[in-house]
Amino acid sequence: SMARGLVGARQQSIERAKDLSAEHQIQLKQIESNELDADLASVISEMTARQAALQASLQLMGSASKLTLFNFI
């Protein structure tokens, strides 16, 4: 009957909307994951650079503390 046809068409429309919504959720989770991965890589890179700078500073301080007036004469 006509009513069943309309109900069937609406059910299909609802199912398509649900599928589309699920696809969008997957895409958003992928985007979020990519952003978090990028941020993590950036943080690791910056921390590595800071660690290298700290080590260089500590080595310089260690070398300077070994100097005496005799080194300058």
Side-chain angles (χ1 to χ4, degrees):
S1 78
M2 182 97 155
R4 284 188 182 172
L6 288 173
V7 170
R10 286 192 180 172
Q11 280 181 323
Q12 286 179 347
S13 179
I14 290 170
E15 288 300 318
R16 275 183 283 180
K18 283 171 52 178
D19 291 343
L20 189 59
S21 176
E23 286 178 28
H24 281 118
Q25 284 181 336
I26 290 169
Q27 289 174 348
L28 288 173
K29 286 183 190 255
Q30 184 65 43
I31 291 168
E32 180 184 35
S33 175
N34 290 344
E35 289 294 321
L36 289 173
D37 290 345
D39 288 346
L40 183 60
S42 175
V43 167
I44 290 171
S45 177
E46 185 172 337
M47 292 300 290
T48 302
R50 287 184 182 198
Q51 182 180 15
L54 177 61
Q55 286 176 339
S57 176
L58 291 174
Q59 286 176 344
L60 182 61
M61 287 175 55
S63 298
S65 69
K66 293 178 186 176
L67 295 177
T68 65
L69 285 176
F70 292 111
N71 294 103
F72 296 103
I73 298 178

